[in-house]
Amino acid sequence: VEDQRARWERKRSRTAKELLETEYKYLEQLHLVLTVSISALSAPSDIWMSSDSTYFVVKQFLLLMHSVLSLHLEKGNLGPGLENFCQSLDLYGHYAENLEQANKTLKEQVRKNKSFRHFKKLQETRPQFQGRELEDLLPLPLQRLHQYKHFFRDLLENTSPDTAEYQKLAKTVKSVCEVSHWVQDIFDKRENSLQLLRVQKLLKGQKTQVLTPGGSY
């Protein structure tokens, strides 16, 4: 039993260390995108449409949420960190809902707005971007959500079931999986709409309407 617990603790420590290290990197990238976004919002050319304001508000909340999580992880207070994390997880779903519109706006402004195009290109020369474009960084939160699922499952598998922390980890894994399904459902519905639109275009000149509310490809 003691050997088993020692193995659990070693694996658990490695996972916790990797979680914290990747959290720092994620925070840095999230802060980078947010800084560029706020700079753009402050620009006199009014770069972003008002419909996208929710997207950036959610981005700010995500940054705050993970700053708190990293502080708890640094101190080894996983329990309180998980409680705060679970209370804010819905933000990922709202982020996914706003992502498509934000991407559309970004593409439109790059095409139409010369000053924004120059601003974006200048920002992307920062060393922190590592040769990537702003578009490459926008899906980061959803990619991170997928990583959390694996990190917290690993922690759960290497935590003794008779501890209070095990219960909190089990709740966290369940919450992350639920939000992951919500996000996946958003993308599935979006893909379904695109396929129906494609079929409707193929039926040009026909009276048949496949692009109807609730329609499924």
Side-chain angles (χ1 to χ4, degrees), residues 186-202:
I186 291 169
F187 286 111
D188 288 345
K189 287 179 179 177
R190 194 169 295 159
E191 179 62 25
N192 182 71
S193 297
L194 289 173
Q195 293 292 357
L196 288 175
L197 181 62
R198 180 181 64 83
V199 173
Q200 187 66 65
K201 287 179 179 178
L202 291 172

Side-chain angles (χ1 to χ4, degrees), residues 1-14 155 157-163:
V1 173
E2 288 180 2
D3 287 345
Q4 178 62 53
R5 285 178 177 172
R7 284 195 294 271
W8 278 349
E9 188 56 38
R10 285 195 296 271
K11 290 179 181 178
R12 194 173 181 279
S13 296
R14 283 199 299 267
L155 285 171
E157 289 171 0
N158 293 291
T159 299
S160 178
D162 57 357
T163 61

Side-chain angles (χ1 to χ4, degrees), residues 109-189:
Q109 292 299 328
V110 168
R111 181 171 54 86
K112 290 183 177 180
N113 193 325
K114 186 177 179 181
S115 61
F116 175 64
R117 191 162 57 245
H118 175 72
F119 168 82
K120 177 176 174 289
K121 199 168 184 179
L122 185 65
Q123 295 298 320
E124 289 168 349
T125 60
R126 292 185 183 196
Q128 299 95 317
F129 270 89
Q130 298 177 340
R132 294 167 297 184
E133 296 182 346
L134 182 59
E135 292 90 335
D136 300 325
L137 298 178
L138 294 184
L140 277 174
L142 304 183
Q143 294 166 4
R144 184 60 175 167
L145 180 66
H146 183 70
Q147 292 173 351
Y148 282 133
K149 189 160 55 174
H150 295 287
F151 276 125
F152 291 131
R153 275 179 176 168
D154 285 348
L155 285 171
L156 181 66
E157 289 171 0
N158 293 291
T159 299
S160 178
D162 57 357
T163 61
E165 202 163 86
Y166 182 89
Q167 301 302 323
K168 290 179 181 178
L169 277 166
K171 180 183 176 182
T172 303
V173 169
K174 182 183 177 185
S175 298
V176 171
C177 287
E178 287 173 352
V179 175
S180 294
H181 289 146
W182 174 13
V183 170
Q184 187 59 50
D185 188 52
I186 291 169
F187 286 111
D188 288 345
K189 287 179 179 177

Side-chain angles (χ1 to χ4, degrees), residues 47-62:
I47 289 162
W48 298 100
M49 296 190 300
S50 58
S51 60
D52 294 297
S53 59
T54 305
Y55 171 80
F56 292 108
V57 168
V58 170
K59 197 96 178 183
Q60 284 180 291
F61 275 116
L62 281 172

Side-chain angles (χ1 to χ4, degrees), residues 34-111:
L34 185 59
T35 301
V36 174
S37 303
I38 290 176
S39 299
L41 283 166
S42 305
S45 55
D46 192 22
I47 289 162
W48 298 100
M49 296 190 300
S50 58
S51 60
D52 294 297
S53 59
T54 305
Y55 171 80
F56 292 108
V57 168
V58 170
K59 197 96 178 183
Q60 284 180 291
F61 275 116
L62 281 172
L63 182 61
L64 176 61
M65 162 186 166
H66 290 289
S67 296
V68 174
L69 176 61
S70 63
L71 286 174
H72 283 296
L73 291 173
E74 284 173 1
K75 297 176 181 178
N77 300 329
L78 187 59
L82 293 178
E83 288 178 6
N84 179 78
F85 179 77
C86 286
Q87 290 170 5
S88 310
L89 260 176
D90 281 1
L91 290 173
Y92 277 94
H94 298 307
Y95 186 88
E97 289 172 340
N98 284 277
L99 185 57
E100 183 183 25
Q101 182 58 46
N103 271 312
K104 284 181 180 177
T105 304
L106 180 57
K107 289 178 182 177
E108 185 180 345
Q109 292 299 328
V110 168
R111 181 171 54 86

